Amino acid sequence: YKAGDYYKEGLAEGVIAWVDETGEHGLLISLDETRAAWSTEYFGLLDRGYGMSSDGQNNAKIIKSLEDWSEKYPAFAWCDAKNPRGLSSWYLPAIAELGKALPALKQINETLKSKGCEPIADGFGDFYWTSMEMGAALATPGSFNPNVEADMYDCDKKKEHRVRAMRKF
């Protein structure tokens, strides 16, 4: 496998965003996207001892352990809804995972377009939520434009940004 390849195996379908040195394992990015808030409430996970990490799948497990999580965390719920039959493969990626797709963005977008899917946006105001929290009211959005950094306004958890799910293979 290589980044930018279309991937369909079993119930998993997406575009390969990154591949490890073996060429056998990596990350898929979803064929579609949505716009959603990170959270509908201000609640500090880090302040309460939840161990958010650079592993989006682990962060999704933490969110899913909270009461009414699917109503309170729309970006996470959208990614989780991609999982058939109770699986937990698709998740909101951590910033480092989302960043792994950046070097292959051109190839990923070519594949998405060839499948009739919306390409990943990389304009000035195109932010994608990641699973990383910064505090009770703030979370970390990422951009596929290397010249753009999010400002504090763009980090408000209640603000809607783009969302793409990722999955390990």
Side-chain angles (χ1 to χ4, degrees), residues 121-151:
D122 64 354
F124 181 74
D126 295 320
F127 294 108
Y128 285 82
W129 276 127
T130 73
S131 62
M132 302 299 294
E133 183 189 62
M134 294 169 46
L138 304 174
T140 306
S143 174
F144 285 97
N145 184 325
N147 300 315
V148 174
E149 288 186 30
D151 61 29

mmCIF file of all heavy atoms in Angstrom, residues 121-151:
data_model
loop_
_atom_site.group_PDB
_atom_site.id
_atom_site.type_symbol
_atom_site.label_atom_id
_atom_site.label_comp_id
_atom_site.label_asym_id
_atom_site.label_seq_id
_atom_site.Cartn_x
_atom_site.Cartn_y
_atom_site.Cartn_z
ATOM 1 N N ALA A 121 -10.329 19.897 2.142
ATOM 2 C CA ALA A 121 -10.151 21.333 1.946
ATOM 3 C C ALA A 121 -8.820 21.783 2.541
ATOM 4 O O ALA A 121 -8.428 21.324 3.613
ATOM 5 C CB ALA A 121 -11.304 22.090 2.593
ATOM 6 N N ASP A 122 -8.149 22.678 1.828
ATOM 7 C CA ASP A 122 -6.866 23.178 2.325
ATOM 8 C C ASP A 122 -6.729 24.687 2.170
ATOM 9 O O ASP A 122 -5.649 25.222 2.043
ATOM 10 C CB ASP A 122 -5.697 22.460 1.653
ATOM 11 C CG ASP A 122 -5.635 22.710 0.153
ATOM 12 O OD1 ASP A 122 -6.556 23.339 -0.413
ATOM 13 O OD2 ASP A 122 -4.649 22.281 -0.470
ATOM 14 N N GLY A 123 -7.878 25.375 2.206
ATOM 15 C CA GLY A 123 -7.873 26.829 2.098
ATOM 16 C C GLY A 123 -7.541 27.497 3.417
ATOM 17 O O GLY A 123 -7.331 26.847 4.446
ATOM 18 N N PHE A 124 -7.539 28.819 3.405
ATOM 19 C CA PHE A 124 -7.122 29.597 4.571
ATOM 20 C C PHE A 124 -7.990 29.327 5.799
ATOM 21 O O PHE A 124 -7.487 29.184 6.892
ATOM 22 C CB PHE A 124 -7.136 31.090 4.235
ATOM 23 C CG PHE A 124 -6.702 31.939 5.385
ATOM 24 C CD1 PHE A 124 -5.360 31.996 5.758
ATOM 25 C CD2 PHE A 124 -7.625 32.668 6.106
ATOM 26 C CE1 PHE A 124 -4.952 32.765 6.833
ATOM 27 C CE2 PHE A 124 -7.223 33.443 7.186
ATOM 28 C CZ PHE A 124 -5.890 33.497 7.541
ATOM 29 N N GLY A 125 -9.294 29.235 5.673
ATOM 30 C CA GLY A 125 -10.181 29.051 6.818
ATOM 31 C C GLY A 125 -10.706 27.639 6.983
ATOM 32 O O GLY A 125 -11.679 27.421 7.705
ATOM 33 N N ASP A 126 -10.070 26.685 6.340
ATOM 34 C CA ASP A 126 -10.549 25.297 6.367
ATOM 35 C C ASP A 126 -9.893 24.521 7.503
ATOM 36 O O ASP A 126 -8.802 23.980 7.342
ATOM 37 C CB ASP A 126 -10.262 24.608 5.026
ATOM 38 C CG ASP A 126 -11.028 25.236 3.888
ATOM 39 O OD1 ASP A 126 -12.195 25.587 4.089
ATOM 40 O OD2 ASP A 126 -10.447 25.374 2.801
ATOM 41 N N PHE A 127 -10.579 24.477 8.625
ATOM 42 C CA PHE A 127 -10.071 23.742 9.772
ATOM 43 C C PHE A 127 -10.847 22.444 9.960
ATOM 44 O O PHE A 127 -12.046 22.383 9.711
ATOM 45 C CB PHE A 127 -10.183 24.586 11.052
ATOM 46 C CG PHE A 127 -9.291 25.787 11.037
ATOM 47 C CD1 PHE A 127 -9.825 27.054 10.896
ATOM 48 C CD2 PHE A 127 -7.913 25.655 11.147
ATOM 49 C CE1 PHE A 127 -8.992 28.170 10.876
ATOM 50 C CE2 PHE A 127 -7.083 26.762 11.132
ATOM 51 C CZ PHE A 127 -7.629 28.021 10.992
ATOM 52 N N TYR A 128 -10.145 21.413 10.404
ATOM 53 C CA TYR A 128 -10.727 20.112 10.716
ATOM 54 C C TYR A 128 -10.526 19.854 12.207
ATOM 55 O O TYR A 128 -9.421 20.044 12.723
ATOM 56 C CB TYR A 128 -10.033 18.999 9.914
ATOM 57 C CG TYR A 128 -10.441 18.965 8.472
ATOM 58 C CD1 TYR A 128 -9.862 19.821 7.542
ATOM 59 C CD2 TYR A 128 -11.419 18.076 8.031
ATOM 60 C CE1 TYR A 128 -10.240 19.794 6.213
ATOM 61 C CE2 TYR A 128 -11.802 18.042 6.700
ATOM 62 C CZ TYR A 128 -11.213 18.908 5.797
ATOM 63 O OH TYR A 128 -11.596 18.876 4.486
ATOM 64 N N TRP A 129 -11.591 19.396 12.868
ATOM 65 C CA TRP A 129 -11.448 19.056 14.277
ATOM 66 C C TRP A 129 -10.547 17.840 14.446
ATOM 67 O O TRP A 129 -10.568 16.926 13.644
ATOM 68 C CB TRP A 129 -12.793 18.738 14.919
ATOM 69 C CG TRP A 129 -13.556 19.921 15.378
ATOM 70 C CD1 TRP A 129 -14.855 20.231 15.049
ATOM 71 C CD2 TRP A 129 -13.114 20.969 16.251
ATOM 72 N NE1 TRP A 129 -15.230 21.393 15.670
ATOM 73 C CE2 TRP A 129 -14.173 21.866 16.416
ATOM 74 C CE3 TRP A 129 -11.912 21.221 16.907
ATOM 75 C CZ2 TRP A 129 -14.086 23.003 17.214
ATOM 76 C CZ3 TRP A 129 -11.814 22.364 17.693
ATOM 77 C CH2 TRP A 129 -12.888 23.236 17.851
ATOM 78 N N THR A 130 -9.770 17.868 15.511
ATOM 79 C CA THR A 130 -9.013 16.698 15.940
ATOM 80 C C THR A 130 -9.557 16.308 17.312
ATOM 81 O O THR A 130 -10.351 17.057 17.909
ATOM 82 C CB THR A 130 -7.501 16.991 16.051
ATOM 83 O OG1 THR A 130 -7.255 17.801 17.212
ATOM 84 C CG2 THR A 130 -6.980 17.654 14.784
ATOM 85 N N SER A 131 -9.147 15.190 17.834
ATOM 86 C CA SER A 131 -9.657 14.713 19.121
ATOM 87 C C SER A 131 -8.916 15.306 20.315
ATOM 88 O O SER A 131 -9.167 14.921 21.444
ATOM 89 C CB SER A 131 -9.583 13.188 19.182
ATOM 90 O OG SER A 131 -8.238 12.753 19.090
ATOM 91 N N MET A 132 -8.051 16.247 20.083
ATOM 92 C CA MET A 132 -7.212 16.809 21.147
ATOM 93 C C MET A 132 -7.895 17.994 21.831
ATOM 94 O O MET A 132 -8.283 18.948 21.183
ATOM 95 C CB MET A 132 -5.868 17.258 20.575
ATOM 96 C CG MET A 132 -5.093 16.148 19.879
ATOM 97 S SD MET A 132 -4.666 14.771 20.944
ATOM 98 C CE MET A 132 -3.540 15.577 22.062
ATOM 99 N N GLU A 133 -8.006 17.900 23.145
ATOM 100 C CA GLU A 133 -8.580 18.969 23.955
ATOM 101 C C GLU A 133 -7.476 19.887 24.453
ATOM 102 O O GLU A 133 -6.371 19.438 24.747
ATOM 103 C CB GLU A 133 -9.330 18.379 25.144
ATOM 104 C CG GLU A 133 -10.013 19.446 25.973
ATOM 105 C CD GLU A 133 -10.589 18.935 27.262
ATOM 106 O OE1 GLU A 133 -9.798 18.450 28.108
ATOM 107 O OE2 GLU A 133 -11.807 19.017 27.428
ATOM 108 N N MET A 134 -7.800 21.186 24.572
ATOM 109 C CA MET A 134 -6.853 22.166 25.119
ATOM 110 C C MET A 134 -7.318 22.693 26.470
ATOM 111 O O MET A 134 -6.562 23.357 27.154
ATOM 112 C CB MET A 134 -6.682 23.324 24.138
ATOM 113 C CG MET A 134 -6.013 22.924 22.850
ATOM 114 S SD MET A 134 -6.070 24.167 21.539
ATOM 115 C CE MET A 134 -5.616 25.665 22.317
ATOM 116 N N GLY A 135 -8.561 22.465 26.834
ATOM 117 C CA GLY A 135 -9.118 22.970 28.084
ATOM 118 C C GLY A 135 -10.626 22.835 28.054
ATOM 119 O O GLY A 135 -11.195 22.302 27.110
ATOM 120 N N ALA A 136 -11.285 23.348 29.084
ATOM 121 C CA ALA A 136 -12.735 23.187 29.200
ATOM 122 C C ALA A 136 -13.495 23.751 27.995
ATOM 123 O O ALA A 136 -14.493 23.176 27.571
ATOM 124 C CB ALA A 136 -13.234 23.839 30.485
ATOM 125 N N ALA A 137 -13.024 24.851 27.423
ATOM 126 C CA ALA A 137 -13.738 25.491 26.319
ATOM 127 C C ALA A 137 -13.032 25.346 24.974
ATOM 128 O O ALA A 137 -13.574 25.759 23.953
ATOM 129 C CB ALA A 137 -13.928 26.975 26.623
ATOM 130 N N LEU A 138 -11.840 24.759 24.962
ATOM 131 C CA LEU A 138 -11.030 24.746 23.745
ATOM 132 C C LEU A 138 -10.589 23.343 23.352
ATOM 133 O O LEU A 138 -10.256 22.527 24.194
ATOM 134 C CB LEU A 138 -9.778 25.612 23.941
ATOM 135 C CG LEU A 138 -9.999 27.060 24.350
ATOM 136 C CD1 LEU A 138 -8.665 27.728 24.648
ATOM 137 C CD2 LEU A 138 -10.758 27.829 23.290
ATOM 138 N N ALA A 139 -10.586 23.107 22.040
ATOM 139 C CA ALA A 139 -10.048 21.876 21.469
ATOM 140 C C ALA A 139 -9.157 22.271 20.292
ATOM 141 O O ALA A 139 -9.137 23.426 19.881
ATOM 142 C CB ALA A 139 -11.172 20.947 21.024
ATOM 143 N N THR A 140 -8.446 21.307 19.741
ATOM 144 C CA THR A 140 -7.446 21.611 18.714
ATOM 145 C C THR A 140 -7.948 21.302 17.311
ATOM 146 O O THR A 140 -8.147 20.150 16.968
ATOM 147 C CB THR A 140 -6.169 20.787 18.965
ATOM 148 O OG1 THR A 140 -5.727 21.015 20.298
ATOM 149 C CG2 THR A 140 -5.070 21.166 17.995
ATOM 150 N N PRO A 141 -8.138 22.342 16.483
ATOM 151 C CA PRO A 141 -8.416 22.092 15.073
ATOM 152 C C PRO A 141 -7.104 22.021 14.296
ATOM 153 O O PRO A 141 -6.096 22.586 14.712
ATOM 154 C CB PRO A 141 -9.247 23.303 14.646
ATOM 155 C CG PRO A 141 -8.745 24.407 15.516
ATOM 156 C CD PRO A 141 -8.289 23.758 16.810
ATOM 157 N N GLY A 142 -7.123 21.308 13.183
ATOM 158 C CA GLY A 142 -5.952 21.222 12.325
ATOM 159 C C GLY A 142 -6.291 21.749 10.943
ATOM 160 O O GLY A 142 -7.455 21.830 10.565
ATOM 161 N N SER A 143 -5.275 22.109 10.198
ATOM 162 C CA SER A 143 -5.453 22.617 8.845
ATOM 163 C C SER A 143 -4.536 21.853 7.898
ATOM 164 O O SER A 143 -3.426 21.483 8.271
ATOM 165 C CB SER A 143 -5.120 24.108 8.792
ATOM 166 O OG SER A 143 -5.160 24.584 7.463
ATOM 167 N N PHE A 144 -5.004 21.634 6.687
ATOM 168 C CA PHE A 144 -4.170 21.008 5.671
ATOM 169 C C PHE A 144 -3.421 22.054 4.860
ATOM 170 O O PHE A 144 -2.748 21.739 3.902
ATOM 171 C CB PHE A 144 -5.013 20.115 4.757
ATOM 172 C CG PHE A 144 -5.407 18.825 5.420
ATOM 173 C CD1 PHE A 144 -6.639 18.689 6.024
ATOM 174 C CD2 PHE A 144 -4.521 17.757 5.466
ATOM 175 C CE1 PHE A 144 -6.990 17.503 6.652
ATOM 176 C CE2 PHE A 144 -4.862 16.575 6.098
ATOM 177 C CZ PHE A 144 -6.102 16.454 6.692
ATOM 178 N N ASN A 145 -3.540 23.308 5.252
ATOM 179 C CA ASN A 145 -2.769 24.380 4.652
ATOM 180 C C ASN A 145 -1.598 24.650 5.583
ATOM 181 O O ASN A 145 -1.785 25.132 6.695
ATOM 182 C CB ASN A 145 -3.642 25.629 4.495
ATOM 183 C CG ASN A 145 -2.925 26.746 3.779
ATOM 184 O OD1 ASN A 145 -1.726 26.927 3.934
ATOM 185 N ND2 ASN A 145 -3.664 27.510 2.996
ATOM 186 N N PRO A 146 -0.365 24.353 5.157
ATOM 187 C CA PRO A 146 0.789 24.486 6.050
ATOM 188 C C PRO A 146 1.089 25.926 6.462
ATOM 189 O O PRO A 146 1.853 26.149 7.387
ATOM 190 C CB PRO A 146 1.944 23.884 5.243
ATOM 191 C CG PRO A 146 1.516 23.968 3.825
ATOM 192 C CD PRO A 146 0.013 23.877 3.823
ATOM 193 N N ASN A 147 0.454 26.901 5.805
ATOM 194 C CA ASN A 147 0.703 28.304 6.123
ATOM 195 C C ASN A 147 -0.307 28.882 7.110
ATOM 196 O O ASN A 147 -0.297 30.071 7.372
ATOM 197 C CB ASN A 147 0.696 29.136 4.840
ATOM 198 C CG ASN A 147 1.751 28.672 3.876
ATOM 199 O OD1 ASN A 147 2.884 28.417 4.266
ATOM 200 N ND2 ASN A 147 1.392 28.523 2.616
ATOM 201 N N VAL A 148 -1.198 28.046 7.655
ATOM 202 C CA VAL A 148 -2.274 28.533 8.515
ATOM 203 C C VAL A 148 -2.192 27.874 9.885
ATOM 204 O O VAL A 148 -2.003 26.665 9.991
ATOM 205 C CB VAL A 148 -3.651 28.215 7.872
ATOM 206 C CG1 VAL A 148 -4.776 28.588 8.807
ATOM 207 C CG2 VAL A 148 -3.795 28.927 6.548
ATOM 208 N N GLU A 149 -2.353 28.674 10.908
ATOM 209 C CA GLU A 149 -2.474 28.156 12.269
ATOM 210 C C GLU A 149 -3.809 28.642 12.818
ATOM 211 O O GLU A 149 -4.230 29.765 12.558
ATOM 212 C CB GLU A 149 -1.343 28.681 13.151
ATOM 213 C CG GLU A 149 -0.010 28.068 12.819
ATOM 214 C CD GLU A 149 1.063 28.486 13.799
ATOM 215 O OE1 GLU A 149 0.731 28.737 14.968
ATOM 216 O OE2 GLU A 149 2.219 28.560 13.369
ATOM 217 N N ALA A 150 -4.482 27.806 13.595
ATOM 218 C CA ALA A 150 -5.750 28.195 14.189
ATOM 219 C C ALA A 150 -5.514 29.254 15.259
ATOM 220 O O ALA A 150 -4.534 29.212 15.976
ATOM 221 C CB ALA A 150 -6.425 26.976 14.811
ATOM 222 N N ASP A 151 -6.435 30.220 15.338
ATOM 223 C CA ASP A 151 -6.359 31.164 16.445
ATOM 224 C C ASP A 151 -7.337 30.709 17.526
ATOM 225 O O ASP A 151 -8.053 29.729 17.355
ATOM 226 C CB ASP A 151 -6.628 32.602 15.976
ATOM 227 C CG ASP A 151 -8.007 32.795 15.371
ATOM 228 O OD1 ASP A 151 -8.950 32.068 15.760
ATOM 229 O OD2 ASP A 151 -8.152 33.686 14.526
#
